[in-house]
Amino acid sequence: MSEFEGQALVHLDRVFQFAVRLTGNRTEAEDLVQETYLRAFRHFDQFDPGTNCRAWLFAILHNTFVNQVKRQGREVPGLDEGELERLEVEMPDGANAVENPEEQLLKRIVDADLVAVLDGLPVIFRKVVLLADVEECSYKEIARICGVPIGTVMSRLSRGRRLIRRTLEALTRERQKLGSPR
Amino acid sequence: MICQELRACLGAHLDGELDVERSLAADEHLAFCMECKWAYAKERELRTLLRTRLPREPVPDALRERIRWGLRRADREERWGAAARRALAWSVPAAALVLLALGIGFWEKSVPPPVVSELVAKHMMYSRLDAPAEVVSANQEAVSGWFKGRVRFEVIVPDFSPSGIRLVGGRLSDLSDRPVAYLLYEKGRSLVSLFAFPSQGLALPDRGWVRVGDGRFYVTEVKGAEVVLWTQRGLAYALVSSLDRQALLECADTVWRLVASSRAPGA
């Protein structure tokens, strides 16, 4: 018990952050995290002490989340390729405008925008972006957590990041047009 | 490496996921290609943004408590399971095992789940307020109607008047961010609280249950307040009061029968 607490419970904060952003809902995240820890505790003998415990917890959480979504018959917001193309076309492309990156997003983006844009991203992209960019997991770890090949991780990651950037850029352009001080 | 190749692995380069050879080739290209350098800077900027500007959500204390409590319980179950297996392996007669189980059950007082202390704290808080109800009415339908659109489940308002307990009103409350429909009743000067909330994720102990009629209720006592708690049709119900346990169980039985006979499922 104390070994489990020492290894796993110390990651509660990060696990909770991931759950909140993954579900987009605090109450759901709390239940998910509780369930994750209970499962982790019951299967702690399967944890390889030489590996990253946080990534192991993320894998359990991800698995629990996917099962819950399936069980509740909720729609898994996975997009097919066609839908993705449409999404990317619909979004104005700021990538061609050569601007000094220093003057770009960082200074104009409000934290709440970032949350809204991320929460609006389809979950198959959101989870890889969260794991790579926020939780600093390696591609190999992400592949294991999500149960997909590394190639899929890479393509989802780059698409996810592109979608986020375009949405953020569209948002800042909108603001500039309106001339509202942010 | 040409621009197109670099752009395809820009993210992987940033993440340090390229092999040495390709990583060197990418650096080489970035050293002389201004456009790719910008693209790379934008990629890095986004990552910095996500890493540093995403607000952190504090872990609620109630969640921490729920997890610890759940782990303690699982740990106990596991140890008890292991002890039972060991005992069987040593071929202790089954009768002795049963006696042992009964003995442990008797000695070890079941730990009330964290939700119980939260409920009791709410009850205490409301009993100190002069006018705790948001909707004041002795009319069951009026109180039930007030909750429509305020919570996402149907709130059933029972009538306890045969036991001399009268309806005061209702209000919205919360438990670890869960929305809770809270009903207030009074007997003399004692407050009787009835909480109703979605039961999803609620873990209740194995011991400490009593049967009344068709219903099963978890009963416990915290800081002088009696608590009767149970789940039914997707909702958890809790009665909290300083009234005696028997009176509270009668109320619980009334609620149970009312919920069981209601048309719509709770959640």
Side-chain angles (χ1 to χ4, degrees), chain A residues 1 4-5 9 12-14 16-17 20-21 25-31 33-34 37-38 41-42 68 72 94-112 114-115 118 129-130 132-140 154 157-158 161-162 164-165 168-169, chain B residues 7-18 22 35 37-60 62-79 114 152 175-179 199-203:
Chain A
M1 173 89 167
F4 177 80
E5 288 194 351
L9 223 51
L12 178 59
D13 181 55
R14 302 300 289 261
F16 184 62
Q17 306 308 317
V20 170
R21 292 276 82 84
N25 176 318
R26 280 181 61 104
T27 309
E28 206 180 317
E30 285 184 31
D31 291 344
V33 169
Q34 187 183 13
Y37 269 98
L38 210 56
F41 179 70
R42 293 202 172 116
Q68 265 178 15
Q72 292 161 3
N96 299 330
V98 179
E99 285 175 84
N100 184 347
E102 292 302 308
E103 289 174 8
Q104 282 226 341
L105 296 174
L106 264 177
K107 288 177 188 161
R108 292 193 235 128
I109 287 299
V110 193
D111 295 359
L114 200 59
V115 173
L118 201 60
V129 172
L130 283 171
D133 289 346
V134 184
E135 302 304 339
E136 303 179 39
C137 293
S138 72
Y139 288 5
K140 205 169 147 190
M154 288 174 78
L157 192 53
S158 83
R161 283 169 174 167
R162 197 159 60 226
I164 294 176
R165 187 172 22 232
L168 285 174
E169 280 168 355
Chain B
R7 296 300 175 96
C9 64
L10 210 56
H13 184 45
L14 183 71
D15 296 328
E17 295 271 354
L18 290 184
R22 286 177 70 201
E35 262 181 54
K37 208 172 170 174
W38 266 334
Y40 187 66
K42 280 170 87 172
E43 192 84 17
R44 191 169 47 204
E45 181 191 37
L46 180 68
R47 196 175 68 169
T48 311
L49 204 61
L50 286 166
R51 210 161 272 184
T52 58
R53 299 268 300 272
L54 212 54
R56 308 294 286 181
E57 303 276 347
V59 180
L63 174 64
R64 226 175 264 277
E65 203 37 52
R66 259 164 73 191
I67 290 174
R68 282 189 196 280
W69 181 80
L71 292 181
R72 272 201 302 272
R73 200 174 81 135
D75 189 41
R76 258 208 315 270
E77 279 167 9
E78 207 160 87
R79 265 193 260 178
R152 277 198 265 174
L175 278 176
S176 322
D177 293 341
R178 275 169 212 263
S199 62
Q200 198 201 0
L202 182 74

Side-chain angles (χ1 to χ4, degrees), chain B residues 218-266:
Chain B
Y218 172 72
V219 286
T220 188
E221 182 259 310
V222 175
K223 292 180 189 161
E226 286 290 338
V227 181
V228 178
L229 180 62
W230 72 99
T231 59
Q232 198 179 0
R233 291 201 171 181
L235 291 183
Y237 294 92
L239 279 156
V240 185
S241 173
S242 52
L243 295 184
D244 65 277
R245 182 168 290 184
Q246 196 49 45
L248 221 51
L249 278 170
E250 277 168 27
C251 292
D253 180 45
T254 307
V255 182
W256 179 282
R257 280 186 279 122
L258 200 58
V259 174
S261 65
S262 71
R263 274 169 298 128

Side-chain angles (χ1 to χ4, degrees), chain A residues 139-157:
Chain A
Y139 288 5
K140 205 169 147 190
E141 284 169 342
I142 300 172
R144 210 174 286 161
I145 292 167
C146 301
V148 295
I150 287 193
T152 310
V153 172
M154 288 174 78
S155 69
R156 284 187 187 172
L157 192 53

